[in-house]
Amino acid sequence: MRFKDQFRFVRKNMKKNKTRIFMTVLATAMGCAFLIVLSSVGFGLQKSIVQEITQDRLMTEIQVHGKESEKNAGITIDDITYFEGLDHVKAVTRRQMVDQQGDFRVGEYRAEGNAVVVDFPSETKAGFELSEGRLPEADNEVVIGYDFAKSLAKWDGKEAAPINEDGTVKEEFKYKGELVGEQLDLGVKKFEGEEEKSKTFNLKIVGITKDWEWDPNIYISEKVLTDIEAFTGTPNGTIVPPSLPVEERELMEQRKERFYSQVSIYADDVENVKTISETIKDENYFAYSVVDEMEQINTVFLIVKSGLIFIGTIAIIIASIGIYNTMTMAVTERAPDIGIMKAIGANPSTIKRIFLIESSYIGMLGAIFGTIVAYVITFGVNWLLPVILSNAFGEPIPSDFKFSHIPLSLPLICIGICLLVTIISGLRPARRATKVDVLKAMRREV
């Protein structure tokens, strides 16, 4: 008896008991839908959290925060050279902040903030982009952060501009003009004894960074920092207050080696991030990458998703009781057919296979219908739940946040589990069918 004929025989017999088969398929579909919907919550939250973590960061970036060493914990130019010599390193960016608040002035507008020294060639390799203007070509040319203009406020030389209750500058005192091409005066200070002295560096704004994170800084050249250090007499323009003990003052003024405050290594491919990170960690550098965080998050969600799938599987196991009952009834009702097949020489394995095909067919139908229902529920949850939560708590939910997500692997897992459970459920009735006595079967007795 060919497989095609066996399948046709199964479908013909299933049509005789449509109501019972329908209820069995329905129970299986509900179990599958429950498994997929429940597990999809874990997949959805993982996808949303991962997207939130990675949307404003480069996956190829490795941040280096220092080195465990007896001499110092800072990153120097020698360390930068070592990083650049590693395999699969595309760029090594280094930033050094001036160690005092800069006093920035553009005409009659003023702001306080950070001046940062950057190496523009390496920044460009790493993906540094401008929204307006160009990169500096002279030592006195600077790039400003996208949000620098928001920190500028009109200043009359005596009192600061009035602010709103939320701490922002009143609208009429904000800077509203163009900044590219304008002169920017950077004021720094130092102490000589008890006397405070200041110096102004005249710079020119030539570019504005892209809007990808809050950035009110200005980016200056190495030459400007060197001039600031020459004025203050300290590394990175650090202010030495009069109250500082003499010993500490002398140590600070004697230190000439420069430490970088922000160092990032950029791999040429995401796959090489872990290798580079492990290499520098073996050299006692303190390193961090999003990949490290992703591994931890994925491990946690793997446990969560496994638990949810296990709970959902229980629903399918409960549905398998109905399949077992259906197949047991099928063996009883088809005893004459089984007797006839055995009388004409049907192999017991063929009879067993027929009933296993039927139980598998029921499980497959339940898995398919359950998957369709699960997708419908998931669509409804992702569309309706944010609206309900927004109205209930008064806070908007991000438009790209997914409470439920069904990857292709989830229905495949569900179908696999469902088929396994249904085959096991039909195994005992199928074995019973092979042991039916021919004479008793012909008399409709089992």
Side-chain angles (χ1 to χ4, degrees):
M1 193 175 186
R2 295 177 302 175
F3 179 81
K4 182 179 180 181
D5 296 327
Q6 295 174 18
F7 187 73
R8 187 180 301 163
F9 178 75
V10 167
R11 291 196 61 185
K12 181 180 178 181
N13 285 306
M14 288 176 66
K15 290 179 180 179
K16 295 179 181 178
N17 297 286
K18 292 182 179 179
T19 303
R20 187 168 65 209
I21 296 297
F22 172 78
M23 297 304 295
T24 306
V25 171
L26 179 62
T28 307
M30 290 175 63
C32 290
F34 179 76
L35 186 154
I36 294 175
V37 172
L38 184 65
S39 303
S40 70
V41 174
F43 283 93
L45 292 177
Q46 181 184 19
K47 182 179 181 181
S48 297
I49 291 174
V50 169
Q51 183 175 338
E52 180 68 22
I53 291 173
T54 59
Q55 66 180 353
D56 292 330
R57 306 193 203 177
L58 288 174
M59 294 295 291
T60 57
E61 180 185 13
I62 305 169
Q63 299 173 7
V64 186
H65 300 290
K67 183 178 182 181
E68 186 178 357
S69 170
E70 295 179 359
K71 183 179 178 182
N72 60 68
I75 302 297
T76 66
I77 190 63
D78 293 333
D79 298 308
I80 301 296
T81 304
Y82 165 70
F83 297 150
E84 291 176 333
L86 295 174
D87 293 333
H88 304 294
V89 171
K90 182 176 71 173
V92 181
T93 63
R94 54 272 198 184
R95 297 187 177 189
Q96 177 55 56
M97 297 179 63
V98 177
D99 288 346
Q100 61 171 287
Q101 280 284 95
D103 181 15
F104 307 129
R105 300 188 187 183
V106 179
E108 58 180 344
Y109 292 84
R110 179 187 180 187
E112 289 186 347
N114 297 317
V116 183
V117 180
V118 298
D119 180 61
F120 283 107
S122 62
E123 293 279 350
T124 303
K125 285 182 182 179
F128 184 88
E129 296 181 49
L130 301 178
S131 62
E132 188 178 344
R134 60 173 174 81
L135 293 175
E137 297 174 354
D139 291 333
N140 69 327
E141 294 181 339
V142 299
V143 168
I144 60 173
Y146 187 87
D147 302 291
F148 176 76
K150 298 177 184 177
S151 62
L152 283 173
K154 189 174 289 187
W155 185 64
D156 60 5
K158 296 179 181 179
E159 296 182 2
I163 59 175
N164 299 310
E165 293 181 358
D166 59 357
T168 58
V169 179
K170 287 189 177 294
E171 190 66 30
E172 59 268 27
F173 292 90
K174 291 181 179 180
Y175 188 89
K176 297 182 177 64
E178 295 292 331
L179 283 171
V180 175
E182 293 292 327
Q183 178 176 309
L184 171 67
D185 295 329
L186 166 60
V188 296
K189 61 184 179 180
K190 69 173 183 177
F191 284 99
E192 287 187 357
E194 298 291 334
E195 184 181 358
E196 180 180 303
K197 292 191 174 183
S198 62
K199 183 175 181 179
T200 300
F201 295 86
N202 303 125
L203 309 171
K204 182 181 179 181
I205 301 172
V206 296
I208 301 175
T209 64
K210 255 194 171 180
D211 178 23
W212 66 281
E213 65 176 6
W214 177 258
D215 186 4
N217 302 322
I218 70 165
Y219 299 95
I220 62 176
S221 65
E222 184 83 17
K223 177 64 168 57
V224 175
L225 177 58
T226 302
D227 292 341
I228 293 174
E229 291 175 328
F231 168 69
T232 61
T234 56
N236 304 323
T238 305
I239 298 176
V240 181
S243 58
L244 191 70
V246 177
E247 296 80 6
E248 295 184 23
R249 182 194 303 269
E250 291 176 351
L251 287 174
M252 184 175 293
E253 292 175 349
Q254 289 173 2
R255 181 169 65 85
K256 300 299 181 183
E257 194 172 26
R258 180 175 296 164
F259 297 142
Y260 294 95
S261 54
Q262 297 178 21
V263 176
S264 293
I265 301 172
Y266 292 86
D268 56 8
D269 192 272
V270 178
E271 296 178 354
N272 297 319
V273 171
K274 188 174 182 179
T275 303
I276 297 172
S277 181
E278 290 176 350
T279 299
I280 62 177
K281 284 179 180 178
D282 290 340
E283 296 296 326
N284 297 324
Y285 289 96
F286 301 106
Y288 164 82
S289 68
V290 177
V291 173
D292 296 332
E293 189 172 345
M294 294 297 301
E295 288 182 352
Q296 297 173 7
I297 291 174
N298 289 335
T299 300
V300 172
F301 274 103
L302 176 62
I303 297 172
V304 172
K305 290 184 294 185
S306 299
L308 294 175
I309 290 174
F310 174 75
I311 295 172
T313 302
I314 295 175
I316 297 180
I317 292 175
I318 294 173
S320 69
I321 298 174
I323 296 176
Y324 176 82
N325 179 65
T326 298
M327 298 309 302
T328 302
M329 293 295 294
V331 171
T332 303
E333 293 172 352
R334 297 172 199 167
D337 296 337
I338 296 172
I340 293 172
M341 285 190 290
K342 295 187 76 172
I344 62 177
N347 194 302
S349 61
T350 301
I351 298 172
K352 181 179 178 180
R353 190 182 305 116
I354 288 174
F355 286 94
L356 289 177
I357 290 173
E358 183 170 343
S359 65
S360 301
Y361 188 49
I362 293 173
M364 180 61 73
L365 288 175
I368 292 173
F369 292 136
T371 300
I372 295 172
V373 172
Y375 272 103
V376 173
I377 293 174
T378 295
F379 176 80
V381 166
N382 288 330
W383 176 73
L384 191 60
L385 196 56
V387 177
I388 296 174
L389 293 179
S390 296
N391 293 330
F393 298 103
E395 294 184 4
I397 304 297
S399 58
D400 56 349
F401 190 86
K402 299 294 182 183
F403 291 92
S404 179
H405 171 65
I406 304 178
L408 179 61
S409 58
L410 188 53
L412 294 178
I413 291 172
C414 178
I415 292 173
I417 293 174
C418 190
L419 283 176
L420 178 63
V421 171
T422 52
I423 289 174
I424 293 174
S425 299
L427 195 59
R428 183 175 176 81
R431 286 176 179 173
R432 184 184 174 191
T434 61
K435 297 177 181 179
V436 171
D437 184 86
V438 176
L439 295 177
K440 290 183 178 180
M442 298 301 292
R443 293 196 299 267
R444 301 184 64 85
E445 295 178 4
V446 180

